[in-house]
Amino acid sequence: MLLVPGALAAPLVVSASEEISTGLGGGWGRAAPADDGWHFFWSAGGDYVRLPMTDDLTVTDRDRDPLTGRSDLVDDAITACPDGTWLHAGSTTSATPNDGGATFRYDADFGLVGQGDLETDASTAHNDLAVVCSGVVDGVAYGGDAAWFARIEADGSPGEPVQLEGAPSFMGASLAWRQDRLWAVNFDRRSEEHTSELQSPCNLV
């Protein structure tokens, strides 16, 4: 469920149905509107896979479209860009779980435009990462006790990560670019408060 800052001035979730089970194992399932139904994204075998989903949200595990060709992805996040292309990031494991990550850009037909690797650092959590694609700021946010943000370039590679002082935890967050700010919407596991931590903007200059 999204908790939307009042400054956005418009509801993003207007209603919710009963839970619908896909019947699929695995994780990081995401759905996005398509011309003929929905895209269903699903983490399987260390890759991120796209499956067709009907208008009534029925998905069948056939005609898999593996997006990256990799086998080392753990957690995944994907979002549509304003121009119809797609931005994707995933955590990877080298020496310790989720000690690295990778970023990807796809064209409107999910052709891989390019990719790159985030730094490998066992002291930084790359799991439960979040992505934003606005046409102004495109990037990936990650980190638990320390919050990091890396822009994703046109070729899919990440820029140099920047630590965002005072930002909430990005683990499992939703991101939105509004009013020249990056808004992170999340429950901060370090605090039982739901106010300023949930609606803290991070200025990117």
Side-chain angles (χ1 to χ4, degrees):
M1 178 177 290
L2 296 179
L3 301 177
V4 182
L8 297 184
L12 297 184
V13 178
V14 295
S15 64
S17 71
E18 296 295 323
E19 177 181 304
I20 298 173
S21 174
T22 64
L24 299 174
W28 303 105
R30 300 287 187 271
D35 292 338
D36 56 350
W38 296 77
H39 302 295
F40 182 75
F41 304 99
W42 177 46
S43 180
D47 201 345
Y48 209 40
V49 172
R50 182 173 65 98
L51 294 171
M53 177 181 263
T54 62
D55 284 331
D56 65 356
L57 305 183
T58 298
V59 60
T60 303
D61 185 11
R62 64 171 182 266
D63 300 326
R64 289 189 184 188
D65 178 17
L67 297 180
T68 72
R70 296 176 63 138
S71 59
D72 62 343
L73 298 180
V74 184
D75 292 357
D76 292 276
I78 193 168
T79 192
C81 302
D83 63 358
T85 62
W86 297 82
L87 203 62
H88 167 210
S91 65
T92 60
T93 293
S94 180
T96 59
N98 300 292
D99 59 3
T103 57
F104 309 86
R105 277 193 186 274
Y106 309 107
D107 61 25
D109 297 318
F110 295 98
L112 181 62
V113 173
Q115 62 181 299
D117 291 312
L118 291 163
E119 87 295 342
T120 299
D121 183 351
S123 67
T124 300
H126 293 76
N127 57 302
D128 296 330
L129 32 64
V131 289
V132 61
C133 193
S134 68
V136 178
V137 171
D138 303 343
V140 57
Y142 56 93
D145 294 331
W148 294 85
F149 185 87
R151 291 177 182 266
I152 300 180
E153 307 297 342
D155 64 358
S157 63
E160 187 70 23
V162 176
Q163 187 170 5
L164 301 179
E165 299 292 342
S169 170
F170 282 129
M171 296 179 71
S174 295
L175 300 180
W177 180 256
R178 298 288 190 278
Q179 303 167 341
D180 296 325
R181 291 180 175 180
L182 178 68
W183 294 81
V185 184
N186 196 15
F187 171 74
D188 196 315
R189 61 183 175 80
R190 296 167 297 181
S191 170
E192 294 183 357
E193 299 296 327
H194 291 68
T195 53
S196 60
E197 290 291 343
L198 289 173
Q199 300 180 7
S200 298
C202 307
N203 289 312
L204 297 181
V205 180

